[in-house]
Amino acid sequence: MKALLVGTGPTLYFLARDFLEQGDDCTLVTPSEEEAVSLAANLSATVLHGDGTDPLLLERAGARRADVVVAILPADHDNLATCQVAQRRFGVARTVSLVNDPDHLQVFRRLGVTATVSSTQVLADLLRGQAGLRDLACFAPVEDGRAAILNLTLQEGFAAVGRVLDEFPLPEGASVACILRGAEVIIPRGRERMRAGDQLLVLAVRERIEEAVRTLRSGS
Amino acid sequence: MTPPVVGKGATSPAVEPPPAVRRGSPRTAMIVGCGRLGARLASSLGAAGSGVIAVDRSEAALRRLGADFGGFAVHGDATQPSVLRRAGIERCDAVLAVTENDNVNLMVAQVARVVFRTPRVLVRVFDPAREEIFEEFGIEAISPTLLAEREFLREVLQGPVARPVEP
């Protein structure tokens, strides 16, 4: 697969590294000359420096032959422009845009972007719900943040500690997908007993994230 | 002068009536970007009888509107649909996206057309190469680059014959 990545920052670097490790052909476009030099030194990828929304530069970067274009520039309007130029002018089948304003998740799709990714939506919901982030090591939004996978470490005194999974009243729309216990990775079937120190990977729809975390912590 | 207009649905009328008597002048127009062009448009459309809502993310830019501006000045980032809604885009029958940034203009124009169904959307685009981006949405683009090019070419090709400068 040929991927064209347009953006800045660590996300661009790690995304490119991931594509390359999968054996994909990867070209990068970044607006900063300094960053372009550093990326070229650290990755075995073609790196161009310039305006990644400019049709002429995207053509030079090989947009015509790209299977996917990913836009992770800081501004939403630039990401939209990159995706639309790629799709409309160069016929790129799949375009993916990072989105800051959650309102743009749907809007960009209506404007032809294949997929939109927001890292703010789930975080905003969690903060608004005051679920607290203390025991949450990380979470990953799924489908634009309509669901999320979150990593919760069970502390001594949590309601879930000592309880058997399928007897524990997790809300509808939430389930424990995996238990990480020391070096062990347990895919639970329901009869497992949860212990303090366990890391739970919880899969939940957006509306149930807060309730799921609260229930695991303090009961209902 | 007829501006060169690109994009679907764009027409160039043979005779341009003066703005003040033009029958199609919008009841309410939103102007996004209050630079030199935006401020002039706001003032001219206001004088032509339109209600005007001017939006800019810089308060300093909004001060260009001057004391006699009779419309609304809204301080905010127009790339956010929520800001456009609060500014009153739903009651506008025309949106003019004239910031200094092509990508901002194109995005605001598309959001106005596709999300808010604004009947008439005009956008300034400096780079004529970007026109494919929006043509399918019925947005009218005016390119200062093409405009200037046309004027220069007209002067050079059809203007008075060049004469040597008298010593």
Side-chain angles (χ1 to χ4, degrees), chain A residues 51 53-54 77-78 81 84-85 88-89 101 104 110, chain B residues 79-81 103-104 107 110 114 129-130 132-133 136:
Chain A
D51 176 1
T53 72
D54 178 356
H77 54 259
D78 290 331
Q84 291 191 318
V85 169
R88 304 237 170 98
R89 172 171 276 210
D101 182 343
H104 291 155
R110 283 168 73 181
Chain B
T79 66
Q80 297 176 18
N103 293 340
V104 168
M107 180 162 136
Q110 293 180 80
V114 174
R130 295 184 193 224
E132 290 93 336
I133 291 182
E136 76 183 59

mmCIF file with all atom_site columns, all heavy atoms in Angstrom, chain A residues 51 53-54 77-78 81 84-85 88-89 101 104 110, chain B residues 79-81 103-104 107 110 114 129-130 132-133 136:
data_model
loop_
_atom_site.group_PDB
_atom_site.id
_atom_site.type_symbol
_atom_site.label_atom_id
_atom_site.label_alt_id
_atom_site.label_comp_id
_atom_site.label_asym_id
_atom_site.label_entity_id
_atom_site.label_seq_id
_atom_site.pdbx_PDB_ins_code
_atom_site.Cartn_x
_atom_site.Cartn_y
_atom_site.Cartn_z
_atom_site.occupancy
_atom_site.B_iso_or_equiv
_atom_site.pdbx_formal_charge
_atom_site.auth_seq_id
_atom_site.auth_comp_id
_atom_site.auth_asym_id
_atom_site.auth_atom_id
_atom_site.pdbx_PDB_model_num
ATOM 1   N N   . ASP A 1 51  ? 3.753   23.199 1.905   1.00 0.00 ? 51  ASP A N   1
ATOM 2   C CA  . ASP A 1 51  ? 2.332   23.322 2.212   1.00 0.00 ? 51  ASP A CA  1
ATOM 3   C C   . ASP A 1 51  ? 1.599   22.074 1.712   1.00 0.00 ? 51  ASP A C   1
ATOM 4   O O   . ASP A 1 51  ? 1.397   21.912 0.510   1.00 0.00 ? 51  ASP A O   1
ATOM 5   C CB  . ASP A 1 51  ? 1.796   24.590 1.543   1.00 0.00 ? 51  ASP A CB  1
ATOM 6   C CG  . ASP A 1 51  ? 0.289   24.765 1.728   1.00 0.00 ? 51  ASP A CG  1
ATOM 7   O OD1 . ASP A 1 51  ? -0.350  23.907 2.388   1.00 0.00 ? 51  ASP A OD1 1
ATOM 8   O OD2 . ASP A 1 51  ? -0.257  25.752 1.221   1.00 0.00 ? 51  ASP A OD2 1
ATOM 9   N N   . THR A 1 53  ? -1.358  21.353 1.689   1.00 0.00 ? 53  THR A N   1
ATOM 10  C CA  . THR A 1 53  ? -2.688  21.551 1.116   1.00 0.00 ? 53  THR A CA  1
ATOM 11  C C   . THR A 1 53  ? -2.571  22.039 -0.329  1.00 0.00 ? 53  THR A C   1
ATOM 12  O O   . THR A 1 53  ? -3.567  22.242 -0.997  1.00 0.00 ? 53  THR A O   1
ATOM 13  C CB  . THR A 1 53  ? -3.514  22.587 1.924   1.00 0.00 ? 53  THR A CB  1
ATOM 14  O OG1 . THR A 1 53  ? -2.982  23.904 1.692   1.00 0.00 ? 53  THR A OG1 1
ATOM 15  C CG2 . THR A 1 53  ? -3.448  22.293 3.408   1.00 0.00 ? 53  THR A CG2 1
ATOM 16  N N   . ASP A 1 54  ? -1.333  22.241 -0.785  1.00 0.00 ? 54  ASP A N   1
ATOM 17  C CA  . ASP A 1 54  ? -1.087  22.777 -2.124  1.00 0.00 ? 54  ASP A CA  1
ATOM 18  C C   . ASP A 1 54  ? -1.140  21.640 -3.152  1.00 0.00 ? 54  ASP A C   1
ATOM 19  O O   . ASP A 1 54  ? -0.365  20.684 -3.056  1.00 0.00 ? 54  ASP A O   1
ATOM 20  C CB  . ASP A 1 54  ? 0.296   23.446 -2.131  1.00 0.00 ? 54  ASP A CB  1
ATOM 21  C CG  . ASP A 1 54  ? 0.667   24.007 -3.495  1.00 0.00 ? 54  ASP A CG  1
ATOM 22  O OD1 . ASP A 1 54  ? -0.114  23.819 -4.453  1.00 0.00 ? 54  ASP A OD1 1
ATOM 23  O OD2 . ASP A 1 54  ? 1.745   24.604 -3.609  1.00 0.00 ? 54  ASP A OD2 1
ATOM 24  N N   . HIS A 1 77  ? -9.093  23.187 9.074   1.00 0.00 ? 77  HIS A N   1
ATOM 25  C CA  . HIS A 1 77  ? -9.356  23.622 7.690   1.00 0.00 ? 77  HIS A CA  1
ATOM 26  C C   . HIS A 1 77  ? -8.248  23.163 6.745   1.00 0.00 ? 77  HIS A C   1
ATOM 27  O O   . HIS A 1 77  ? -8.499  22.895 5.573   1.00 0.00 ? 77  HIS A O   1
ATOM 28  C CB  . HIS A 1 77  ? -9.574  25.132 7.612   1.00 0.00 ? 77  HIS A CB  1
ATOM 29  C CG  . HIS A 1 77  ? -8.481  25.952 8.218   1.00 0.00 ? 77  HIS A CG  1
ATOM 30  N ND1 . HIS A 1 77  ? -8.581  26.525 9.462   1.00 0.00 ? 77  HIS A ND1 1
ATOM 31  C CD2 . HIS A 1 77  ? -7.280  26.302 7.747   1.00 0.00 ? 77  HIS A CD2 1
ATOM 32  C CE1 . HIS A 1 77  ? -7.474  27.183 9.728   1.00 0.00 ? 77  HIS A CE1 1
ATOM 33  N NE2 . HIS A 1 77  ? -6.666  27.063 8.703   1.00 0.00 ? 77  HIS A NE2 1
ATOM 34  N N   . ASP A 1 78  ? -7.028  23.036 7.264   1.00 0.00 ? 78  ASP A N   1
ATOM 35  C CA  . ASP A 1 78  ? -5.942  22.533 6.416   1.00 0.00 ? 78  ASP A CA  1
ATOM 36  C C   . ASP A 1 78  ? -6.101  21.035 6.154   1.00 0.00 ? 78  ASP A C   1
ATOM 37  O O   . ASP A 1 78  ? -5.859  20.557 5.046   1.00 0.00 ? 78  ASP A O   1
ATOM 38  C CB  . ASP A 1 78  ? -4.580  22.807 7.065   1.00 0.00 ? 78  ASP A CB  1
ATOM 39  C CG  . ASP A 1 78  ? -4.252  24.300 7.060   1.00 0.00 ? 78  ASP A CG  1
ATOM 40  O OD1 . ASP A 1 78  ? -4.720  25.005 6.146   1.00 0.00 ? 78  ASP A OD1 1
ATOM 41  O OD2 . ASP A 1 78  ? -3.539  24.761 7.966   1.00 0.00 ? 78  ASP A OD2 1
ATOM 42  N N   . ALA A 1 81  ? -8.703  20.595 3.527   1.00 0.00 ? 81  ALA A N   1
ATOM 43  C CA  . ALA A 1 81  ? -8.190  20.958 2.190   1.00 0.00 ? 81  ALA A CA  1
ATOM 44  C C   . ALA A 1 81  ? -7.310  19.837 1.634   1.00 0.00 ? 81  ALA A C   1
ATOM 45  O O   . ALA A 1 81  ? -7.456  19.447 0.475   1.00 0.00 ? 81  ALA A O   1
ATOM 46  C CB  . ALA A 1 81  ? -7.423  22.273 2.269   1.00 0.00 ? 81  ALA A CB  1
ATOM 47  N N   . GLN A 1 84  ? -9.530  16.909 0.574   1.00 0.00 ? 84  GLN A N   1
ATOM 48  C CA  . GLN A 1 84  ? -10.371 17.198 -0.589  1.00 0.00 ? 84  GLN A CA  1
ATOM 49  C C   . GLN A 1 84  ? -9.544  17.300 -1.869  1.00 0.00 ? 84  GLN A C   1
ATOM 50  O O   . GLN A 1 84  ? -9.966  16.845 -2.923  1.00 0.00 ? 84  GLN A O   1
ATOM 51  C CB  . GLN A 1 84  ? -11.178 18.472 -0.355  1.00 0.00 ? 84  GLN A CB  1
ATOM 52  C CG  . GLN A 1 84  ? -12.243 18.260 0.717   1.00 0.00 ? 84  GLN A CG  1
ATOM 53  C CD  . GLN A 1 84  ? -13.217 19.402 0.792   1.00 0.00 ? 84  GLN A CD  1
ATOM 54  O OE1 . GLN A 1 84  ? -12.833 20.559 0.724   1.00 0.00 ? 84  GLN A OE1 1
ATOM 55  N NE2 . GLN A 1 84  ? -14.489 19.088 0.957   1.00 0.00 ? 84  GLN A NE2 1
ATOM 56  N N   . VAL A 1 85  ? -8.371  17.904 -1.775  1.00 0.00 ? 85  VAL A N   1
ATOM 57  C CA  . VAL A 1 85  ? -7.501  17.963 -2.953  1.00 0.00 ? 85  VAL A CA  1
ATOM 58  C C   . VAL A 1 85  ? -7.101  16.541 -3.362  1.00 0.00 ? 85  VAL A C   1
ATOM 59  O O   . VAL A 1 85  ? -7.148  16.180 -4.537  1.00 0.00 ? 85  VAL A O   1
ATOM 60  C CB  . VAL A 1 85  ? -6.247  18.824 -2.673  1.00 0.00 ? 85  VAL A CB  1
ATOM 61  C CG1 . VAL A 1 85  ? -5.226  18.668 -3.791  1.00 0.00 ? 85  VAL A CG1 1
ATOM 62  C CG2 . VAL A 1 85  ? -6.630  20.291 -2.507  1.00 0.00 ? 85  VAL A CG2 1
ATOM 63  N N   . ARG A 1 88  ? -10.471 14.747 -4.741  1.00 0.00 ? 88  ARG A N   1
ATOM 64  C CA  . ARG A 1 88  ? -11.122 15.287 -5.941  1.00 0.00 ? 88  ARG A CA  1
ATOM 65  C C   . ARG A 1 88  ? -10.141 15.440 -7.090  1.00 0.00 ? 88  ARG A C   1
ATOM 66  O O   . ARG A 1 88  ? -10.454 15.166 -8.228  1.00 0.00 ? 88  ARG A O   1
ATOM 67  C CB  . ARG A 1 88  ? -11.726 16.653 -5.640  1.00 0.00 ? 88  ARG A CB  1
ATOM 68  C CG  . ARG A 1 88  ? -12.679 16.608 -4.503  1.00 0.00 ? 88  ARG A CG  1
ATOM 69  C CD  . ARG A 1 88  ? -14.055 17.117 -4.853  1.00 0.00 ? 88  ARG A CD  1
ATOM 70  N NE  . ARG A 1 88  ? -14.922 16.780 -3.740  1.00 0.00 ? 88  ARG A NE  1
ATOM 71  C CZ  . ARG A 1 88  ? -15.243 17.642 -2.786  1.00 0.00 ? 88  ARG A CZ  1
ATOM 72  N NH1 . ARG A 1 88  ? -14.833 18.876 -2.864  1.00 0.00 ? 88  ARG A NH1 1
ATOM 73  N NH2 . ARG A 1 88  ? -15.991 17.270 -1.783  1.00 0.00 ? 88  ARG A NH2 1
ATOM 74  N N   . ARG A 1 89  ? -8.939  15.923 -6.794  1.00 0.00 ? 89  ARG A N   1
ATOM 75  C CA  . ARG A 1 89  ? -8.034  16.173 -7.902  1.00 0.00 ? 89  ARG A CA  1
ATOM 76  C C   . ARG A 1 89  ? -7.240  14.926 -8.280  1.00 0.00 ? 89  ARG A C   1
ATOM 77  O O   . ARG A 1 89  ? -6.984  14.683 -9.443  1.00 0.00 ? 89  ARG A O   1
ATOM 78  C CB  . ARG A 1 89  ? -7.066  17.301 -7.571  1.00 0.00 ? 89  ARG A CB  1
ATOM 79  C CG  . ARG A 1 89  ? -6.007  17.425 -8.666  1.00 0.00 ? 89  ARG A CG  1
ATOM 80  C CD  . ARG A 1 89  ? -5.176  18.629 -8.506  1.00 0.00 ? 89  ARG A CD  1
ATOM 81  N NE  . ARG A 1 89  ? -5.824  19.775 -9.103  1.00 0.00 ? 89  ARG A NE  1
ATOM 82  C CZ  . ARG A 1 89  ? -5.138  20.784 -9.627  1.00 0.00 ? 89  ARG A CZ  1
ATOM 83  N NH1 . ARG A 1 89  ? -3.845  20.777 -9.613  1.00 0.00 ? 89  ARG A NH1 1
ATOM 84  N NH2 . ARG A 1 89  ? -5.772  21.803 -10.129 1.00 0.00 ? 89  ARG A NH2 1
ATOM 85  N N   . ASP A 1 101 ? -12.282 20.083 16.235  1.00 0.00 ? 101 ASP A N   1
ATOM 86  C CA  . ASP A 1 101 ? -13.641 20.475 16.603  1.00 0.00 ? 101 ASP A CA  1
ATOM 87  C C   . ASP A 1 101 ? -14.565 19.275 16.374  1.00 0.00 ? 101 ASP A C   1
ATOM 88  O O   . ASP A 1 101 ? -14.725 18.825 15.238  1.00 0.00 ? 101 ASP A O   1
ATOM 89  C CB  . ASP A 1 101 ? -14.071 21.649 15.718  1.00 0.00 ? 101 ASP A CB  1
ATOM 90  C CG  . ASP A 1 101 ? -15.459 22.163 16.073  1.00 0.00 ? 101 ASP A CG  1
ATOM 91  O OD1 . ASP A 1 101 ? -16.215 21.447 16.762  1.00 0.00 ? 101 ASP A OD1 1
ATOM 92  O OD2 . ASP A 1 101 ? -15.789 23.282 15.651  1.00 0.00 ? 101 ASP A OD2 1
ATOM 93  N N   . HIS A 1 104 ? -16.855 18.863 13.467  1.00 0.00 ? 104 HIS A N   1
ATOM 94  C CA  . HIS A 1 104 ? -16.349 18.557 12.127  1.00 0.00 ? 104 HIS A CA  1
ATOM 95  C C   . HIS A 1 104 ? -16.339 17.068 11.813  1.00 0.00 ? 104 HIS A C   1
ATOM 96  O O   . HIS A 1 104 ? -16.158 16.692 10.654  1.00 0.00 ? 104 HIS A O   1
ATOM 97  C CB  . HIS A 1 104 ? -14.923 19.106 11.967  1.00 0.00 ? 104 HIS A CB  1
ATOM 98  C CG  . HIS A 1 104 ? -14.882 20.596 11.938  1.00 0.00 ? 104 HIS A CG  1
ATOM 99  N ND1 . HIS A 1 104 ? -13.774 21.323 12.306  1.00 0.00 ? 104 HIS A ND1 1
ATOM 100 C CD2 . HIS A 1 104 ? -15.813 21.508 11.572  1.00 0.00 ? 104 HIS A CD2 1
ATOM 101 C CE1 . HIS A 1 104 ? -14.040 22.608 12.185  1.00 0.00 ? 104 HIS A CE1 1
ATOM 102 N NE2 . HIS A 1 104 ? -15.263 22.748 11.750  1.00 0.00 ? 104 HIS A NE2 1
ATOM 103 N N   . ARG A 1 110 ? -19.433 14.458 5.323   1.00 0.00 ? 110 ARG A N   1
ATOM 104 C CA  . ARG A 1 110 ? -20.384 14.923 4.306   1.00 0.00 ? 110 ARG A CA  1
ATOM 105 C C   . ARG A 1 110 ? -19.668 15.625 3.170   1.00 0.00 ? 110 ARG A C   1
ATOM 106 O O   . ARG A 1 110 ? -20.174 15.699 2.053   1.00 0.00 ? 110 ARG A O   1
ATOM 107 C CB  . ARG A 1 110 ? -21.412 15.864 4.937   1.00 0.00 ? 110 ARG A CB  1
ATOM 108 C CG  . ARG A 1 110 ? -22.469 15.124 5.714   1.00 0.00 ? 110 ARG A CG  1
ATOM 109 C CD  . ARG A 1 110 ? -23.307 16.036 6.553   1.00 0.00 ? 110 ARG A CD  1
ATOM 110 N NE  . ARG A 1 110 ? -24.240 16.833 5.766   1.00 0.00 ? 110 ARG A NE  1
ATOM 111 C CZ  . ARG A 1 110 ? -25.060 17.723 6.298   1.00 0.00 ? 110 ARG A CZ  1
ATOM 112 N NH1 . ARG A 1 110 ? -25.060 17.917 7.594   1.00 0.00 ? 110 ARG A NH1 1
ATOM 113 N NH2 . ARG A 1 110 ? -25.875 18.409 5.537   1.00 0.00 ? 110 ARG A NH2 1
ATOM 114 N N   . THR B 2 79  ? -14.292 28.965 11.524  1.00 0.00 ? 79  THR B N   1
ATOM 115 C CA  . THR B 2 79  ? -14.156 27.582 11.070  1.00 0.00 ? 79  THR B CA  1
ATOM 116 C C   . THR B 2 79  ? -14.931 26.633 11.984  1.00 0.00 ? 79  THR B C   1
ATOM 117 O O   . THR B 2 79  ? -15.066 25.466 11.677  1.00 0.00 ? 79  THR B O   1
ATOM 118 C CB  . THR B 2 79  ? -12.678 27.114 11.011  1.00 0.00 ? 79  THR B CB  1
ATOM 119 O OG1 . THR B 2 79  ? -12.149 27.076 12.329  1.00 0.00 ? 79  THR B OG1 1
ATOM 120 C CG2 . THR B 2 79  ? -11.844 28.036 10.139  1.00 0.00 ? 79  THR B CG2 1
ATOM 121 N N   . GLN B 2 80  ? -15.438 27.158 13.112  1.00 0.00 ? 80  GLN B N   1
ATOM 122 C CA  . GLN B 2 80  ? -16.258 26.315 13.989  1.00 0.00 ? 80  GLN B CA  1
ATOM 123 C C   . GLN B 2 80  ? -17.731 26.506 13.654  1.00 0.00 ? 80  GLN B C   1
ATOM 124 O O   . GLN B 2 80  ? -18.254 27.616 13.787  1.00 0.00 ? 80  GLN B O   1
ATOM 125 C CB  . GLN B 2 80  ? -16.028 26.681 15.460  1.00 0.00 ? 80  GLN B CB  1
ATOM 126 C CG  . GLN B 2 80  ? -14.599 26.447 15.922  1.00 0.00 ? 80  GLN B CG  1
ATOM 127 C CD  . GLN B 2 80  ? -14.388 26.908 17.351  1.00 0.00 ? 80  GLN B CD  1
ATOM 128 O OE1 . GLN B 2 80  ? -15.339 27.100 18.103  1.00 0.00 ? 80  GLN B OE1 1
ATOM 129 N NE2 . GLN B 2 80  ? -13.137 27.121 17.717  1.00 0.00 ? 80  GLN B NE2 1
ATOM 130 N N   . PRO B 2 81  ? -18.415 25.434 13.237  1.00 0.00 ? 81  PRO B N   1
ATOM 131 C CA  . PRO B 2 81  ? -19.833 25.560 12.909  1.00 0.00 ? 81  PRO B CA  1
ATOM 132 C C   . PRO B 2 81  ? -20.648 26.188 14.048  1.00 0.00 ? 81  PRO B C   1
ATOM 133 O O   . PRO B 2 81  ? -21.586 26.943 13.797  1.00 0.00 ? 81  PRO B O   1
ATOM 134 C CB  . PRO B 2 81  ? -20.267 24.114 12.655  1.00 0.00 ? 81  PRO B CB  1
ATOM 135 C CG  . PRO B 2 81  ? -19.023 23.421 12.212  1.00 0.00 ? 81  PRO B CG  1
ATOM 136 C CD  . PRO B 2 81  ? -17.905 24.073 12.970  1.00 0.00 ? 81  PRO B CD  1
ATOM 137 N N   . ASN B 2 103 ? -7.786  28.094 2.574   1.00 0.00 ? 103 ASN B N   1
ATOM 138 C CA  . ASN B 2 103 ? -8.361  26.882 3.163   1.00 0.00 ? 103 ASN B CA  1
ATOM 139 C C   . ASN B 2 103 ? -9.479  27.219 4.141   1.00 0.00 ? 103 ASN B C   1
ATOM 140 O O   . ASN B 2 103 ? -10.481 26.512 4.221   1.00 0.00 ? 103 ASN B O   1
ATOM 141 C CB  . ASN B 2 103 ? -7.282  26.055 3.864   1.00 0.00 ? 103 ASN B CB  1
ATOM 142 C CG  . ASN B 2 103 ? -6.283  25.470 2.880   1.00 0.00 ? 103 ASN B CG  1
ATOM 143 O OD1 . ASN B 2 103 ? -6.576  25.370 1.691   1.00 0.00 ? 103 ASN B OD1 1
ATOM 144 N ND2 . ASN B 2 103 ? -5.115  25.110 3.365   1.00 0.00 ? 103 ASN B ND2 1
ATOM 145 N N   . VAL B 2 104 ? -9.304  28.312 4.892   1.00 0.00 ? 104 VAL B N   1
ATOM 146 C CA  . VAL B 2 104 ? -10.377 28.756 5.791   1.00 0.00 ? 104 VAL B CA  1
ATOM 147 C C   . VAL B 2 104 ? -11.596 29.156 4.969   1.00 0.00 ? 104 VAL B C   1
ATOM 148 O O   . VAL B 2 104 ? -12.729 28.749 5.253   1.00 0.00 ? 104 VAL B O   1
ATOM 149 C CB  . VAL B 2 104 ? -9.908  29.943 6.665   1.00 0.00 ? 104 VAL B CB  1
ATOM 150 C CG1 . VAL B 2 104 ? -11.086 30.587 7.370   1.00 0.00 ? 104 VAL B CG1 1
ATOM 151 C CG2 . VAL B 2 104 ? -8.877  29.479 7.683   1.00 0.00 ? 104 VAL B CG2 1
ATOM 152 N N   . MET B 2 107 ? -13.381 26.126 3.543   1.00 0.00 ? 107 MET B N   1
ATOM 153 C CA  . MET B 2 107 ? -14.091 25.327 4.530   1.00 0.00 ? 107 MET B CA  1
ATOM 154 C C   . MET B 2 107 ? -15.350 26.046 4.998   1.00 0.00 ? 107 MET B C   1
ATOM 155 O O   . MET B 2 107 ? -16.427 25.445 5.074   1.00 0.00 ? 107 MET B O   1
ATOM 156 C CB  . MET B 2 107 ? -13.189 25.054 5.716   1.00 0.00 ? 107 MET B CB  1
ATOM 157 C CG  . MET B 2 107 ? -13.895 24.228 6.747   1.00 0.00 ? 107 MET B CG  1
ATOM 158 S SD  . MET B 2 107 ? -12.702 23.507 7.848   1.00 0.00 ? 107 MET B SD  1
ATOM 159 C CE  . MET B 2 107 ? -13.528 23.832 9.332   1.00 0.00 ? 107 MET B CE  1
ATOM 160 N N   . GLN B 2 110 ? -18.028 25.812 2.326   1.00 0.00 ? 110 GLN B N   1
ATOM 161 C CA  . GLN B 2 110 ? -18.659 24.495 2.215   1.00 0.00 ? 110 GLN B CA  1
ATOM 162 C C   . GLN B 2 110 ? -19.588 24.217 3.388   1.00 0.00 ? 110 GLN B C   1
ATOM 163 O O   . GLN B 2 110 ? -20.664 23.643 3.220   1.00 0.00 ? 110 GLN B O   1
ATOM 164 C CB  . GLN B 2 110 ? -17.586 23.403 2.137   1.00 0.00 ? 110 GLN B CB  1
ATOM 165 C CG  . GLN B 2 110 ? -16.788 23.479 0.851   1.00 0.00 ? 110 GLN B CG  1
ATOM 166 C CD  . GLN B 2 110 ? -15.741 22.378 0.807   1.00 0.00 ? 110 GLN B CD  1
ATOM 167 O OE1 . GLN B 2 110 ? -16.044 21.245 0.493   1.00 0.00 ? 110 GLN B OE1 1
ATOM 168 N NE2 . GLN B 2 110 ? -14.524 22.712 1.132   1.00 0.00 ? 110 GLN B NE2 1
ATOM 169 N N   . VAL B 2 114 ? -23.392 23.321 2.770   1.00 0.00 ? 114 VAL B N   1
ATOM 170 C CA  . VAL B 2 114 ? -23.808 21.935 3.003   1.00 0.00 ? 114 VAL B CA  1
ATOM 171 C C   . VAL B 2 114 ? -24.521 21.785 4.351   1.00 0.00 ? 114 VAL B C   1
ATOM 172 O O   . VAL B 2 114 ? -25.509 21.067 4.455   1.00 0.00 ? 114 VAL B O   1
ATOM 173 C CB  . VAL B 2 114 ? -22.585 20.996 2.909   1.00 0.00 ? 114 VAL B CB  1
ATOM 174 C CG1 . VAL B 2 114 ? -22.955 19.574 3.282   1.00 0.00 ? 114 VAL B CG1 1
ATOM 175 C CG2 . VAL B 2 114 ? -22.013 21.042 1.495   1.00 0.00 ? 114 VAL B CG2 1
ATOM 176 N N   . ALA B 2 129 ? -5.703  27.066 -8.509  1.00 0.00 ? 129 ALA B N   1
ATOM 177 C CA  . ALA B 2 129 ? -5.567  25.610 -8.628  1.00 0.00 ? 129 ALA B CA  1
ATOM 178 C C   . ALA B 2 129 ? -6.472  24.864 -7.651  1.00 0.00 ? 129 ALA B C   1
ATOM 179 O O   . ALA B 2 129 ? -6.611  23.656 -7.729  1.00 0.00 ? 129 ALA B O   1
ATOM 180 C CB  . ALA B 2 129 ? -4.114  25.202 -8.396  1.00 0.00 ? 129 ALA B CB  1
ATOM 181 N N   . ARG B 2 130 ? -7.082  25.584 -6.708  1.00 0.00 ? 130 ARG B N   1
ATOM 182 C CA  . ARG B 2 130 ? -7.888  24.881 -5.699  1.00 0.00 ? 130 ARG B CA  1
ATOM 183 C C   . ARG B 2 130 ? -9.356  24.793 -6.058  1.00 0.00 ? 130 ARG B C   1
ATOM 184 O O   . ARG B 2 130 ? -10.173 24.382 -5.232  1.00 0.00 ? 130 ARG B O   1
ATOM 185 C CB  . ARG B 2 130 ? -7.736  25.577 -4.349  1.00 0.00 ? 130 ARG B CB  1
ATOM 186 C CG  . ARG B 2 130 ? -6.314  25.455 -3.871  1.00 0.00 ? 130 ARG B CG  1
ATOM 187 C CD  . ARG B 2 130 ? -6.073  26.028 -2.507  1.00 0.00 ? 130 ARG B CD  1
ATOM 188 N NE  . ARG B 2 130 ? -4.625  26.121 -2.343  1.00 0.00 ? 130 ARG B NE  1
ATOM 189 C CZ  . ARG B 2 130 ? -3.987  25.773 -1.247  1.00 0.00 ? 130 ARG B CZ  1
ATOM 190 N NH1 . ARG B 2 130 ? -4.635  25.349 -0.215  1.00 0.00 ? 130 ARG B NH1 1
ATOM 191 N NH2 . ARG B 2 130 ? -2.675  25.877 -1.194  1.00 0.00 ? 130 ARG B NH2 1
ATOM 192 N N   . GLU B 2 132 ? -11.205 22.854 -7.850  1.00 0.00 ? 132 GLU B N   1
ATOM 193 C CA  . GLU B 2 132 ? -11.912 21.558 -7.863  1.00 0.00 ? 132 GLU B CA  1
ATOM 194 C C   . GLU B 2 132 ? -12.502 21.226 -6.505  1.00 0.00 ? 132 GLU B C   1
ATOM 195 O O   . GLU B 2 132 ? -13.435 20.452 -6.395  1.00 0.00 ? 132 GLU B O   1
ATOM 196 C CB  . GLU B 2 132 ? -10.953 20.397 -8.189  1.00 0.00 ? 132 GLU B CB  1
ATOM 197 C CG  . GLU B 2 132 ? -10.448 20.345 -9.585  1.00 0.00 ? 132 GLU B CG  1
ATOM 198 C CD  . GLU B 2 132 ? -9.130  21.068 -9.691  1.00 0.00 ? 132 GLU B CD  1
ATOM 199 O OE1 . GLU B 2 132 ? -8.882  21.938 -8.831  1.00 0.00 ? 132 GLU B OE1 1
ATOM 200 O OE2 . GLU B 2 132 ? -8.383  20.783 -10.632 1.00 0.00 ? 132 GLU B OE2 1
ATOM 201 N N   . ILE B 2 133 ? -11.892 21.779 -5.477  1.00 0.00 ? 133 ILE B N   1
ATOM 202 C CA  . ILE B 2 133 ? -12.298 21.445 -4.120  1.00 0.00 ? 133 ILE B CA  1
ATOM 203 C C   . ILE B 2 133 ? -13.777 21.684 -3.889  1.00 0.00 ? 133 ILE B C   1
ATOM 204 O O   . ILE B 2 133 ? -14.444 20.925 -3.230  1.00 0.00 ? 133 ILE B O   1
ATOM 205 C CB  . ILE B 2 133 ? -11.475 22.274 -3.109  1.00 0.00 ? 133 ILE B CB  1
ATOM 206 C CG1 . ILE B 2 133 ? -10.037 21.813 -3.106  1.00 0.00 ? 133 ILE B CG1 1
ATOM 207 C CG2 . ILE B 2 133 ? -12.060 22.179 -1.733  1.00 0.00 ? 133 ILE B CG2 1
ATOM 208 C CD1 . ILE B 2 133 ? -9.190  22.551 -2.096  1.00 0.00 ? 133 ILE B CD1 1
ATOM 209 N N   . GLU B 2 136 ? -18.361 21.232 -6.811  1.00 0.00 ? 136 GLU B N   1
ATOM 210 C CA  . GLU B 2 136 ? -19.575 20.418 -6.814  1.00 0.00 ? 136 GLU B CA  1
ATOM 211 C C   . GLU B 2 136 ? -20.622 20.913 -5.827  1.00 0.00 ? 136 GLU B C   1
ATOM 212 O O   . GLU B 2 136 ? -21.736 20.447 -5.816  1.00 0.00 ? 136 GLU B O   1
ATOM 213 C CB  . GLU B 2 136 ? -19.234 18.950 -6.536  1.00 0.00 ? 136 GLU B CB  1
ATOM 214 C CG  . GLU B 2 136 ? -18.921 18.649 -5.113  1.00 0.00 ? 136 GLU B CG  1
ATOM 215 C CD  . GLU B 2 136 ? -18.529 17.175 -4.929  1.00 0.00 ? 136 GLU B CD  1
ATOM 216 O OE1 . GLU B 2 136 ? -17.555 16.721 -5.558  1.00 0.00 ? 136 GLU B OE1 1
ATOM 217 O OE2 . GLU B 2 136 ? -19.200 16.503 -4.149  1.00 0.00 ? 136 GLU B OE2 1
#
